[in-house]
Amino acid sequence: MPRPSQTRAYVALVLIAVLWGSYPATTKIALQDFPPFFAAAVRCAIASIFLVVLLLRAHAGAFPTLTPAAVRAIVFLG
């Protein structure tokens, strides 16, 4: 029997595959009621929220402090 951490990883991989696999069908259904720009904005907002949660869960030492030059680079690339 796999360890709990392995089981959790396998469950996460299956959920990711289901999410990616269902995306075309859900997009086709959503585009019947919503414009494409709105659907893309909602998708980006959900992804951003998820990434912010992951960032907040990471410990403070995981990320170097942002310098003004790094912020300018991020803004330029964005």
Side-chain angles (χ1 to χ4, degrees):
M1 180 165 193
R3 294 182 306 219
S5 62
Q6 287 179 331
T7 303
R8 195 168 77 182
Y10 286 131
V11 169
L13 288 172
V14 168
L15 288 175
I16 289 170
V18 168
L19 183 68
W20 283 344
S22 66
Y23 180 70
T26 54
T27 301
K28 188 173 183 177
I29 292 169
L31 289 177
Q32 293 175 357
D33 297 323
F34 301 108
F37 184 77
F38 178 77
V42 169
R43 181 177 178 220
C44 288
I46 291 171
S48 296
I49 291 169
F50 178 73
L51 291 174
V52 166
V53 168
L54 288 179
L55 178 66
L56 293 175
R57 283 185 54 191
H59 54 83
F63 302 99
T65 57
L66 288 176
T67 62
V71 172
R72 281 193 299 274
I74 290 170
V75 170
F76 176 74
L77 291 172

Short mmCIF file of all heavy atoms in Angstrom, two decimals:
data_model
loop_
_atom_site.label_atom_id
_atom_site.label_comp_id
_atom_site.label_asym_id
_atom_site.label_seq_id
_atom_site.Cartn_x
_atom_site.Cartn_y
_atom_site.Cartn_z
N MET A 1 0.85 -1.17 0.00
CA MET A 1 0.00 0.00 0.00
C MET A 1 0.90 1.24 0.00
O MET A 1 1.85 1.32 0.77
CB MET A 1 -0.89 -0.03 1.23
CG MET A 1 -1.80 1.14 1.33
SD MET A 1 -3.07 0.81 2.55
CE MET A 1 -4.15 2.11 2.16
N PRO A 2 0.58 2.24 -0.86
CA PRO A 2 1.42 3.43 -0.90
C PRO A 2 1.28 4.26 0.37
O PRO A 2 0.28 4.21 1.07
CB PRO A 2 0.91 4.20 -2.11
CG PRO A 2 -0.40 3.61 -2.45
CD PRO A 2 -0.47 2.25 -1.85
N ARG A 3 2.34 5.02 0.64
CA ARG A 3 2.31 5.92 1.80
C ARG A 3 1.26 7.01 1.57
O ARG A 3 0.88 7.30 0.44
CB ARG A 3 3.68 6.54 1.99
CG ARG A 3 4.74 5.53 2.38
CD ARG A 3 6.04 6.24 2.59
NE ARG A 3 6.35 7.03 1.38
CZ ARG A 3 7.54 7.18 0.86
NH1 ARG A 3 8.56 6.62 1.43
NH2 ARG A 3 7.74 7.89 -0.21
N PRO A 4 0.79 7.66 2.66
CA PRO A 4 -0.22 8.72 2.50
C PRO A 4 0.23 9.86 1.60
O PRO A 4 -0.57 10.41 0.85
CB PRO A 4 -0.45 9.20 3.93
CG PRO A 4 -0.07 8.05 4.79
CD PRO A 4 1.03 7.34 4.05
N SER A 5 1.52 10.21 1.64
CA SER A 5 1.98 11.31 0.79
C SER A 5 1.93 10.91 -0.68
O SER A 5 1.61 11.73 -1.54
CB SER A 5 3.40 11.73 1.18
OG SER A 5 4.29 10.65 0.99
N GLN A 6 2.22 9.63 -0.98
CA GLN A 6 2.12 9.16 -2.35
C GLN A 6 0.67 9.11 -2.80
O GLN A 6 0.35 9.47 -3.93
CB GLN A 6 2.75 7.77 -2.49
CG GLN A 6 4.25 7.78 -2.42
CD GLN A 6 4.81 6.37 -2.54
OE1 GLN A 6 4.15 5.41 -2.16
NE2 GLN A 6 6.01 6.27 -3.07
N THR A 7 -0.22 8.67 -1.92
CA THR A 7 -1.63 8.61 -2.26
C THR A 7 -2.15 10.00 -2.56
O THR A 7 -2.89 10.20 -3.54
CB THR A 7 -2.43 7.97 -1.09
OG1 THR A 7 -1.89 6.68 -0.83
CG2 THR A 7 -3.90 7.86 -1.45
N ARG A 8 -1.77 10.96 -1.75
CA ARG A 8 -2.21 12.34 -1.97
C ARG A 8 -1.69 12.87 -3.30
O ARG A 8 -2.41 13.57 -4.03
CB ARG A 8 -1.75 13.22 -0.82
CG ARG A 8 -2.44 14.56 -0.78
CD ARG A 8 -2.18 15.27 0.49
NE ARG A 8 -0.85 15.84 0.44
CZ ARG A 8 -0.28 16.51 1.42
NH1 ARG A 8 -0.93 16.66 2.55
NH2 ARG A 8 0.91 17.02 1.29
N ALA A 9 -0.46 12.52 -3.65
CA ALA A 9 0.10 12.95 -4.93
C ALA A 9 -0.65 12.32 -6.09
O ALA A 9 -0.94 12.99 -7.09
CB ALA A 9 1.58 12.58 -4.99
N TYR A 10 -0.97 11.03 -5.98
CA TYR A 10 -1.72 10.37 -7.05
C TYR A 10 -3.13 10.97 -7.21
O TYR A 10 -3.61 11.15 -8.32
CB TYR A 10 -1.81 8.87 -6.80
CG TYR A 10 -0.52 8.14 -7.05
CD1 TYR A 10 -0.02 7.24 -6.12
CD2 TYR A 10 0.21 8.35 -8.22
CE1 TYR A 10 1.17 6.57 -6.34
CE2 TYR A 10 1.40 7.69 -8.44
CZ TYR A 10 1.87 6.80 -7.51
OH TYR A 10 3.04 6.14 -7.73
N VAL A 11 -3.77 11.27 -6.09
CA VAL A 11 -5.09 11.88 -6.15
C VAL A 11 -5.00 13.25 -6.82
O VAL A 11 -5.84 13.61 -7.66
CB VAL A 11 -5.71 11.99 -4.74
CG1 VAL A 11 -6.95 12.87 -4.73
CG2 VAL A 11 -6.04 10.61 -4.21
N ALA A 12 -3.98 14.02 -6.49
CA ALA A 12 -3.80 15.34 -7.12
C ALA A 12 -3.57 15.19 -8.62
O ALA A 12 -4.14 15.96 -9.41
CB ALA A 12 -2.63 16.07 -6.47
N LEU A 13 -2.78 14.22 -9.03
CA LEU A 13 -2.53 14.01 -10.46
C LEU A 13 -3.81 13.61 -11.20
O LEU A 13 -4.07 14.08 -12.31
CB LEU A 13 -1.45 12.95 -10.66
CG LEU A 13 -0.04 13.37 -10.31
CD1 LEU A 13 0.90 12.17 -10.36
CD2 LEU A 13 0.44 14.46 -11.24
N VAL A 14 -4.62 12.76 -10.59
CA VAL A 14 -5.88 12.37 -11.22
C VAL A 14 -6.82 13.57 -11.32
O VAL A 14 -7.47 13.78 -12.35
CB VAL A 14 -6.53 11.21 -10.44
CG1 VAL A 14 -7.96 10.97 -10.90
CG2 VAL A 14 -5.71 9.94 -10.60
N LEU A 15 -6.89 14.37 -10.27
CA LEU A 15 -7.76 15.55 -10.31
C LEU A 15 -7.30 16.55 -11.37
O LEU A 15 -8.13 17.15 -12.07
CB LEU A 15 -7.81 16.22 -8.94
CG LEU A 15 -8.59 15.47 -7.88
CD1 LEU A 15 -8.47 16.18 -6.53
CD2 LEU A 15 -10.04 15.32 -8.27
N ILE A 16 -6.00 16.71 -11.53
CA ILE A 16 -5.48 17.61 -12.56
C ILE A 16 -5.84 17.09 -13.94
O ILE A 16 -6.26 17.85 -14.82
CB ILE A 16 -3.96 17.79 -12.41
CG1 ILE A 16 -3.66 18.62 -11.17
CG2 ILE A 16 -3.35 18.43 -13.64
CD1 ILE A 16 -2.21 18.65 -10.78
N ALA A 17 -5.70 15.78 -14.15
CA ALA A 17 -6.05 15.20 -15.46
C ALA A 17 -7.54 15.36 -15.75
O ALA A 17 -7.93 15.68 -16.89
CB ALA A 17 -5.66 13.72 -15.49
N VAL A 18 -8.39 15.19 -14.74
CA VAL A 18 -9.83 15.38 -14.92
C VAL A 18 -10.13 16.84 -15.24
O VAL A 18 -10.94 17.14 -16.13
CB VAL A 18 -10.60 14.91 -13.66
CG1 VAL A 18 -12.04 15.35 -13.69
CG2 VAL A 18 -10.51 13.40 -13.53
N LEU A 19 -9.48 17.75 -14.54
CA LEU A 19 -9.70 19.18 -14.78
C LEU A 19 -9.29 19.57 -16.20
O LEU A 19 -10.04 20.24 -16.91
CB LEU A 19 -8.92 20.00 -13.76
CG LEU A 19 -9.09 21.51 -13.82
CD1 LEU A 19 -10.51 21.88 -13.42
CD2 LEU A 19 -8.09 22.18 -12.93
N TRP A 20 -8.11 19.14 -16.63
CA TRP A 20 -7.65 19.46 -17.98
C TRP A 20 -8.53 18.79 -19.03
O TRP A 20 -8.82 19.37 -20.07
CB TRP A 20 -6.22 19.01 -18.18
CG TRP A 20 -5.21 19.89 -17.56
CD1 TRP A 20 -5.38 21.17 -17.11
CD2 TRP A 20 -3.85 19.57 -17.29
NE1 TRP A 20 -4.21 21.65 -16.59
CE2 TRP A 20 -3.25 20.69 -16.69
CE3 TRP A 20 -3.08 18.43 -17.49
CZ2 TRP A 20 -1.93 20.72 -16.30
CZ3 TRP A 20 -1.76 18.46 -17.10
CH2 TRP A 20 -1.19 19.59 -16.52
N GLY A 21 -8.95 17.57 -18.77
CA GLY A 21 -9.77 16.85 -19.73
C GLY A 21 -11.17 17.43 -19.87
O GLY A 21 -11.78 17.35 -20.95
N SER A 22 -11.69 18.00 -18.80
CA SER A 22 -13.04 18.56 -18.85
C SER A 22 -13.07 20.00 -19.35
O SER A 22 -14.15 20.54 -19.63
CB SER A 22 -13.69 18.48 -17.48
OG SER A 22 -13.00 19.32 -16.57
N TYR A 23 -11.92 20.61 -19.48
CA TYR A 23 -11.88 22.02 -19.87
C TYR A 23 -12.54 22.30 -21.23
O TYR A 23 -13.34 23.24 -21.34
CB TYR A 23 -10.45 22.55 -19.85
CG TYR A 23 -10.37 24.00 -20.24
CD1 TYR A 23 -10.87 24.98 -19.39
CD2 TYR A 23 -9.84 24.39 -21.45
CE1 TYR A 23 -10.82 26.30 -19.75
CE2 TYR A 23 -9.79 25.72 -21.81
CZ TYR A 23 -10.28 26.67 -20.96
OH TYR A 23 -10.26 27.98 -21.32
N PRO A 24 -12.25 21.54 -22.30
CA PRO A 24 -12.91 21.85 -23.58
C PRO A 24 -14.43 21.76 -23.53
O PRO A 24 -15.13 22.61 -24.09
CB PRO A 24 -12.33 20.81 -24.55
CG PRO A 24 -11.04 20.40 -23.94
CD PRO A 24 -11.24 20.49 -22.46
N ALA A 25 -14.95 20.75 -22.84
CA ALA A 25 -16.40 20.60 -22.76
C ALA A 25 -17.04 21.73 -21.95
O ALA A 25 -18.06 22.29 -22.36
CB ALA A 25 -16.75 19.25 -22.15
N THR A 26 -16.43 22.07 -20.81
CA THR A 26 -17.01 23.14 -19.99
C THR A 26 -16.89 24.49 -20.70
O THR A 26 -17.79 25.33 -20.57
CB THR A 26 -16.33 23.21 -18.61
OG1 THR A 26 -14.92 23.33 -18.78
CG2 THR A 26 -16.65 21.99 -17.80
N THR A 27 -15.83 24.69 -21.46
CA THR A 27 -15.69 25.94 -22.21
C THR A 27 -16.76 26.04 -23.28
O THR A 27 -17.36 27.10 -23.48
CB THR A 27 -14.29 26.02 -22.84
OG1 THR A 27 -13.32 25.95 -21.81
CG2 THR A 27 -14.12 27.31 -23.61
N LYS A 28 -17.02 24.96 -23.97
CA LYS A 28 -18.04 24.96 -25.02
C LYS A 28 -19.42 25.28 -24.43
O LYS A 28 -20.19 26.05 -25.00
CB LYS A 28 -18.06 23.60 -25.72
CG LYS A 28 -18.93 23.56 -26.92
CD LYS A 28 -18.78 22.24 -27.66
CE LYS A 28 -19.60 22.25 -28.91
NZ LYS A 28 -19.44 21.03 -29.69
N ILE A 29 -19.70 24.73 -23.27
CA ILE A 29 -20.98 25.00 -22.60
C ILE A 29 -21.03 26.45 -22.11
O ILE A 29 -22.04 27.14 -22.26
CB ILE A 29 -21.20 24.02 -21.44
CG1 ILE A 29 -21.41 22.60 -22.00
CG2 ILE A 29 -22.39 24.42 -20.59
CD1 ILE A 29 -21.37 21.52 -20.94
N ALA A 30 -19.93 26.92 -21.51
CA ALA A 30 -19.90 28.27 -20.95
C ALA A 30 -20.01 29.34 -22.04
O ALA A 30 -20.62 30.39 -21.82
CB ALA A 30 -18.63 28.48 -20.15
N LEU A 31 -19.44 29.09 -23.21
CA LEU A 31 -19.47 30.09 -24.28
C LEU A 31 -20.86 30.27 -24.87
O LEU A 31 -21.09 31.24 -25.59
CB LEU A 31 -18.46 29.73 -25.38
CG LEU A 31 -17.00 29.91 -24.97
CD1 LEU A 31 -16.08 29.48 -26.11
CD2 LEU A 31 -16.71 31.35 -24.58
N GLN A 32 -21.78 29.39 -24.56
CA GLN A 32 -23.16 29.59 -24.99
C GLN A 32 -23.83 30.72 -24.21
O GLN A 32 -24.73 31.38 -24.73
CB GLN A 32 -23.96 28.30 -24.81
CG GLN A 32 -23.51 27.19 -25.73
CD GLN A 32 -24.23 25.89 -25.44
OE1 GLN A 32 -25.04 25.79 -24.52
NE2 GLN A 32 -23.92 24.86 -26.22
N ASP A 33 -23.38 30.95 -22.98
CA ASP A 33 -24.00 31.96 -22.13
C ASP A 33 -23.11 33.16 -21.84
O ASP A 33 -23.63 34.22 -21.47
CB ASP A 33 -24.40 31.33 -20.79
CG ASP A 33 -25.46 30.25 -20.96
OD1 ASP A 33 -26.34 30.42 -21.81
OD2 ASP A 33 -25.37 29.23 -20.25
N PHE A 34 -21.80 33.02 -21.96
CA PHE A 34 -20.88 34.10 -21.61
C PHE A 34 -19.99 34.43 -22.79
O PHE A 34 -19.62 33.55 -23.56
CB PHE A 34 -20.00 33.70 -20.42
CG PHE A 34 -20.77 33.36 -19.18
CD1 PHE A 34 -20.86 32.06 -18.74
CD2 PHE A 34 -21.41 34.35 -18.46
CE1 PHE A 34 -21.56 31.74 -17.60
CE2 PHE A 34 -22.12 34.05 -17.31
CZ PHE A 34 -22.20 32.73 -16.88
N PRO A 35 -19.59 35.70 -22.91
CA PRO A 35 -18.63 36.04 -23.97
C PRO A 35 -17.25 35.47 -23.66
O PRO A 35 -16.90 35.23 -22.49
CB PRO A 35 -18.60 37.57 -23.95
CG PRO A 35 -19.16 37.96 -22.63
CD PRO A 35 -20.04 36.86 -22.17
N PRO A 36 -16.42 35.23 -24.68
CA PRO A 36 -15.10 34.62 -24.47
C PRO A 36 -14.20 35.40 -23.52
O PRO A 36 -13.47 34.81 -22.72
CB PRO A 36 -14.50 34.55 -25.86
CG PRO A 36 -15.64 34.65 -26.80
CD PRO A 36 -16.70 35.42 -26.10
N PHE A 37 -14.24 36.73 -23.60
CA PHE A 37 -13.39 37.53 -22.74
C PHE A 37 -13.74 37.32 -21.27
O PHE A 37 -12.87 37.21 -20.41
CB PHE A 37 -13.48 39.01 -23.10
CG PHE A 37 -12.56 39.87 -22.31
CD1 PHE A 37 -11.21 39.91 -22.59
CD2 PHE A 37 -13.03 40.63 -21.25
CE1 PHE A 37 -10.35 40.69 -21.85
CE2 PHE A 37 -12.18 41.42 -20.50
CZ PHE A 37 -10.83 41.45 -20.81
N PHE A 38 -15.02 37.25 -20.96
CA PHE A 38 -15.46 37.03 -19.58
C PHE A 38 -15.01 35.65 -19.09
O PHE A 38 -14.53 35.51 -17.96
CB PHE A 38 -16.98 37.16 -19.47
CG PHE A 38 -17.50 36.90 -18.09
CD1 PHE A 38 -17.38 37.85 -17.10
CD2 PHE A 38 -18.11 35.69 -17.79
CE1 PHE A 38 -17.84 37.60 -15.82
CE2 PHE A 38 -18.58 35.43 -16.52
CZ PHE A 38 -18.45 36.39 -15.53
N ALA A 39 -15.16 34.64 -19.93
CA ALA A 39 -14.75 33.28 -19.54
C ALA A 39 -13.24 33.23 -19.27
O ALA A 39 -12.80 32.60 -18.31
CB ALA A 39 -15.14 32.29 -20.62
N ALA A 40 -12.46 33.89 -20.11
CA ALA A 40 -11.01 33.92 -19.90
C ALA A 40 -10.66 34.69 -18.63
O ALA A 40 -9.74 34.29 -17.89
CB ALA A 40 -10.33 34.54 -21.11
N ALA A 41 -11.37 35.78 -18.37
CA ALA A 41 -11.10 36.57 -17.16
C ALA A 41 -11.42 35.76 -15.90
O ALA A 41 -10.66 35.80 -14.92
CB ALA A 41 -11.91 37.85 -17.19
N VAL A 42 -12.50 35.02 -15.91
CA VAL A 42 -12.86 34.19 -14.76
C VAL A 42 -11.81 33.10 -14.55
O VAL A 42 -11.38 32.83 -13.43
CB VAL A 42 -14.27 33.58 -14.93
CG1 VAL A 42 -14.54 32.51 -13.89
CG2 VAL A 42 -15.32 34.66 -14.86
N ARG A 43 -11.37 32.49 -15.65
CA ARG A 43 -10.35 31.45 -15.56
C ARG A 43 -9.05 32.01 -14.97
O ARG A 43 -8.44 31.40 -14.10
CB ARG A 43 -10.10 30.86 -16.94
CG ARG A 43 -9.10 29.76 -16.94
CD ARG A 43 -8.97 29.18 -18.33
NE ARG A 43 -7.94 28.14 -18.33
CZ ARG A 43 -7.07 27.96 -19.28
NH1 ARG A 43 -7.10 28.72 -20.35
NH2 ARG A 43 -6.19 27.01 -19.21
N CYS A 44 -8.64 33.18 -15.41
CA CYS A 44 -7.42 33.80 -14.89
C CYS A 44 -7.58 34.20 -13.42
O CYS A 44 -6.64 34.07 -12.64
CB CYS A 44 -7.05 35.00 -15.74
SG CYS A 44 -6.43 34.56 -17.36
N ALA A 45 -8.77 34.68 -13.05
CA ALA A 45 -9.00 35.07 -11.66
C ALA A 45 -8.92 33.85 -10.74
O ALA A 45 -8.31 33.92 -9.67
CB ALA A 45 -10.36 35.74 -11.53
N ILE A 46 -9.50 32.74 -11.15
CA ILE A 46 -9.46 31.54 -10.33
C ILE A 46 -8.01 31.04 -10.21
O ILE A 46 -7.56 30.66 -9.12
CB ILE A 46 -10.37 30.45 -10.92
CG1 ILE A 46 -11.84 30.87 -10.76
CG2 ILE A 46 -10.13 29.10 -10.26
CD1 ILE A 46 -12.82 29.99 -11.50
N ALA A 47 -7.27 31.06 -11.30
CA ALA A 47 -5.88 30.63 -11.27
C ALA A 47 -5.06 31.55 -10.37
O ALA A 47 -4.19 31.09 -9.61
CB ALA A 47 -5.30 30.61 -12.68
N SER A 48 -5.32 32.86 -10.43
CA SER A 48 -4.58 33.81 -9.59
C SER A 48 -4.86 33.58 -8.12
O SER A 48 -3.94 33.63 -7.29
CB SER A 48 -4.96 35.24 -9.97
OG SER A 48 -4.56 35.51 -11.29
N ILE A 49 -6.10 33.33 -7.78
CA ILE A 49 -6.45 33.06 -6.38
C ILE A 49 -5.72 31.81 -5.90
O ILE A 49 -5.15 31.78 -4.80
CB ILE A 49 -7.96 32.92 -6.22
CG1 ILE A 49 -8.64 34.29 -6.43
CG2 ILE A 49 -8.33 32.35 -4.86
CD1 ILE A 49 -10.14 34.21 -6.56
N PHE A 50 -5.72 30.76 -6.72
CA PHE A 50 -5.02 29.53 -6.37
C PHE A 50 -3.53 29.77 -6.15
O PHE A 50 -2.94 29.29 -5.18
CB PHE A 50 -5.25 28.49 -7.47
CG PHE A 50 -4.53 27.20 -7.24
CD1 PHE A 50 -4.97 26.30 -6.27
CD2 PHE A 50 -3.41 26.88 -7.98
CE1 PHE A 50 -4.29 25.11 -6.05
CE2 PHE A 50 -2.73 25.70 -7.77
CZ PHE A 50 -3.18 24.81 -6.81
N LEU A 51 -2.91 30.55 -7.03
CA LEU A 51 -1.48 30.83 -6.91
C LEU A 51 -1.17 31.68 -5.69
O LEU A 51 -0.14 31.49 -5.03
CB LEU A 51 -0.96 31.49 -8.18
CG LEU A 51 -0.92 30.58 -9.41
CD1 LEU A 51 -0.52 31.37 -10.65
CD2 LEU A 51 0.02 29.41 -9.19
N VAL A 52 -2.04 32.62 -5.36
CA VAL A 52 -1.83 33.44 -4.16
C VAL A 52 -1.93 32.57 -2.90
O VAL A 52 -1.14 32.73 -1.97
CB VAL A 52 -2.84 34.61 -4.12
CG1 VAL A 52 -2.88 35.26 -2.75
CG2 VAL A 52 -2.50 35.63 -5.18
N VAL A 53 -2.86 31.64 -2.89
CA VAL A 53 -2.98 30.74 -1.74
C VAL A 53 -1.71 29.91 -1.60
O VAL A 53 -1.19 29.74 -0.49
CB VAL A 53 -4.23 29.82 -1.89
CG1 VAL A 53 -4.21 28.69 -0.88
CG2 VAL A 53 -5.49 30.64 -1.74
N LEU A 54 -1.18 29.41 -2.71
CA LEU A 54 0.07 28.66 -2.65
C LEU A 54 1.22 29.53 -2.16
O LEU A 54 2.07 29.08 -1.39
CB LEU A 54 0.42 28.07 -4.02
CG LEU A 54 -0.43 26.91 -4.49
CD1 LEU A 54 0.01 26.47 -5.87
CD2 LEU A 54 -0.37 25.76 -3.52
N LEU A 55 1.25 30.79 -2.59
CA LEU A 55 2.30 31.70 -2.15
C LEU A 55 2.20 31.97 -0.66
O LEU A 55 3.21 32.00 0.05
CB LEU A 55 2.19 33.02 -2.93
CG LEU A 55 3.17 34.11 -2.56
CD1 LEU A 55 4.59 33.68 -2.92
CD2 LEU A 55 2.82 35.40 -3.28
N LEU A 56 0.99 32.16 -0.15
CA LEU A 56 0.81 32.43 1.27
C LEU A 56 1.16 31.22 2.13
O LEU A 56 1.57 31.37 3.28
CB LEU A 56 -0.61 32.89 1.55
CG LEU A 56 -0.99 34.24 0.95
CD1 LEU A 56 -2.46 34.54 1.19
CD2 LEU A 56 -0.11 35.35 1.49
N ARG A 57 0.98 30.03 1.59
CA ARG A 57 1.31 28.81 2.35
C ARG A 57 2.81 28.58 2.44
O ARG A 57 3.27 27.90 3.36
CB ARG A 57 0.67 27.59 1.69
CG ARG A 57 -0.82 27.49 1.97
CD ARG A 57 -1.39 26.23 1.41
NE ARG A 57 -0.63 25.06 1.89
CZ ARG A 57 -0.78 23.84 1.40
NH1 ARG A 57 -1.62 23.61 0.42
NH2 ARG A 57 -0.07 22.85 1.88
N ALA A 58 3.56 29.10 1.49
CA ALA A 58 5.02 28.91 1.50
C ALA A 58 5.61 29.72 2.65
O ALA A 58 5.12 30.78 3.02
CB ALA A 58 5.61 29.36 0.18
N HIS A 59 6.68 29.22 3.21
CA HIS A 59 7.29 29.95 4.31
C HIS A 59 8.03 31.17 3.76
O HIS A 59 8.38 31.24 2.59
CB HIS A 59 8.21 29.05 5.14
CG HIS A 59 9.24 28.34 4.34
ND1 HIS A 59 10.43 28.90 3.98
CD2 HIS A 59 9.24 27.08 3.83
CE1 HIS A 59 11.12 28.04 3.28
NE2 HIS A 59 10.43 26.92 3.17
N ALA A 60 8.29 32.12 4.62
CA ALA A 60 8.83 33.42 4.20
C ALA A 60 10.21 33.30 3.57
O ALA A 60 10.57 34.09 2.70
CB ALA A 60 8.88 34.37 5.39
N GLY A 61 11.01 32.35 3.96
CA GLY A 61 12.36 32.21 3.42
C GLY A 61 12.41 31.62 2.02
O GLY A 61 13.47 31.53 1.42
N ALA A 62 11.27 31.20 1.50
CA ALA A 62 11.25 30.56 0.19
C ALA A 62 11.45 31.57 -0.94
O ALA A 62 11.83 31.19 -2.04
CB ALA A 62 9.94 29.81 -0.02
N PHE A 63 11.19 32.83 -0.67
CA PHE A 63 11.27 33.85 -1.72
C PHE A 63 12.22 34.96 -1.30
O PHE A 63 12.13 35.47 -0.18
CB PHE A 63 9.88 34.45 -1.98
CG PHE A 63 8.88 33.42 -2.38
CD1 PHE A 63 7.99 32.92 -1.45
CD2 PHE A 63 8.84 32.93 -3.66
CE1 PHE A 63 7.06 31.97 -1.80
CE2 PHE A 63 7.93 31.97 -4.03
CZ PHE A 63 7.04 31.48 -3.09
N PRO A 64 13.11 35.35 -2.19
CA PRO A 64 13.98 36.48 -1.86
C PRO A 64 13.16 37.77 -1.85
O PRO A 64 12.08 37.84 -2.43
CB PRO A 64 15.00 36.48 -2.99
CG PRO A 64 14.32 35.79 -4.12
CD PRO A 64 13.36 34.81 -3.50
N THR A 65 13.68 38.78 -1.19
CA THR A 65 12.97 40.05 -1.16
C THR A 65 13.02 40.68 -2.55
O THR A 65 13.98 40.53 -3.30
CB THR A 65 13.62 41.01 -0.15
OG1 THR A 65 14.99 41.17 -0.48
CG2 THR A 65 13.49 40.47 1.26
N LEU A 66 11.96 41.37 -2.88
CA LEU A 66 11.87 42.01 -4.19
C LEU A 66 12.58 43.35 -4.16
O LEU A 66 12.31 44.20 -3.31
CB LEU A 66 10.42 42.21 -4.60
CG LEU A 66 9.65 40.96 -5.00
CD1 LEU A 66 8.20 41.30 -5.28
CD2 LEU A 66 10.29 40.31 -6.21
N THR A 67 13.47 43.53 -5.09
CA THR A 67 14.14 44.82 -5.23
C THR A 67 13.36 45.66 -6.23
O THR A 67 12.56 45.13 -7.01
CB THR A 67 15.58 44.61 -5.74
OG1 THR A 67 15.52 44.01 -7.04
CG2 THR A 67 16.38 43.72 -4.80
N PRO A 68 13.56 46.97 -6.24
CA PRO A 68 12.86 47.81 -7.22
C PRO A 68 13.17 47.40 -8.67
O PRO A 68 12.28 47.45 -9.53
CB PRO A 68 13.39 49.21 -6.93
CG PRO A 68 13.76 49.17 -5.48
CD PRO A 68 14.26 47.79 -5.24
N ALA A 69 14.37 46.92 -8.92
CA ALA A 69 14.70 46.49 -10.29
C ALA A 69 13.90 45.23 -10.66
O ALA A 69 13.43 45.09 -11.79
CB ALA A 69 16.20 46.18 -10.39
N ALA A 70 13.71 44.35 -9.70
CA ALA A 70 12.93 43.13 -9.96
C ALA A 70 11.46 43.49 -10.20
O ALA A 70 10.82 42.92 -11.07
CB ALA A 70 13.06 42.16 -8.81
N VAL A 71 10.94 44.43 -9.42
CA VAL A 71 9.55 44.86 -9.62
C VAL A 71 9.37 45.47 -11.00
O VAL A 71 8.38 45.21 -11.69
CB VAL A 71 9.12 45.85 -8.51
CG1 VAL A 71 7.76 46.45 -8.80
CG2 VAL A 71 9.12 45.15 -7.15
N ARG A 72 10.32 46.29 -11.44
CA ARG A 72 10.24 46.88 -12.79
C ARG A 72 10.26 45.79 -13.86
O ARG A 72 9.50 45.85 -14.82
CB ARG A 72 11.38 47.87 -13.00
CG ARG A 72 11.16 49.21 -12.36
CD ARG A 72 12.18 50.25 -12.86
NE ARG A 72 13.56 49.90 -12.56
CZ ARG A 72 14.19 50.17 -11.43
NH1 ARG A 72 13.54 50.83 -10.48
NH2 ARG A 72 15.44 49.82 -11.26
N ALA A 73 11.09 44.79 -13.67
CA ALA A 73 11.15 43.68 -14.63
C ALA A 73 9.85 42.91 -14.66
O ALA A 73 9.36 42.56 -15.74
CB ALA A 73 12.32 42.77 -14.29
N ILE A 74 9.25 42.68 -13.51
CA ILE A 74 7.97 41.96 -13.45
C ILE A 74 6.88 42.76 -14.14
O ILE A 74 6.09 42.22 -14.93
CB ILE A 74 7.59 41.65 -11.99
CG1 ILE A 74 8.55 40.59 -11.43
CG2 ILE A 74 6.16 41.18 -11.88
CD1 ILE A 74 8.42 40.39 -9.93
N VAL A 75 6.83 44.06 -13.87
CA VAL A 75 5.83 44.92 -14.51
C VAL A 75 6.03 44.95 -16.02
O VAL A 75 5.09 44.84 -16.80
CB VAL A 75 5.87 46.33 -13.91
CG1 VAL A 75 5.02 47.30 -14.71
CG2 VAL A 75 5.40 46.30 -12.46
N PHE A 76 7.28 45.04 -16.45
CA PHE A 76 7.56 45.06 -17.89
C PHE A 76 7.15 43.75 -18.55
O PHE A 76 6.52 43.74 -19.61
CB PHE A 76 9.05 45.33 -18.14
CG PHE A 76 9.43 45.26 -19.59
CD1 PHE A 76 9.07 46.28 -20.44
CD2 PHE A 76 10.12 44.17 -20.07
CE1 PHE A 76 9.41 46.22 -21.79
CE2 PHE A 76 10.46 44.09 -21.41
CZ PHE A 76 10.11 45.13 -22.28
N LEU A 77 7.48 42.63 -17.93
CA LEU A 77 7.11 41.35 -18.49
C LEU A 77 5.60 41.11 -18.45
O LEU A 77 5.05 40.44 -19.32
CB LEU A 77 7.83 40.21 -17.75
CG LEU A 77 9.35 40.17 -17.97
CD1 LEU A 77 9.98 39.14 -17.03
CD2 LEU A 77 9.67 39.86 -19.41
N GLY A 78 4.95 41.67 -17.44
CA GLY A 78 3.50 41.51 -17.34
C GLY A 78 2.78 42.30 -18.38
O GLY A 78 1.79 41.92 -18.96
#
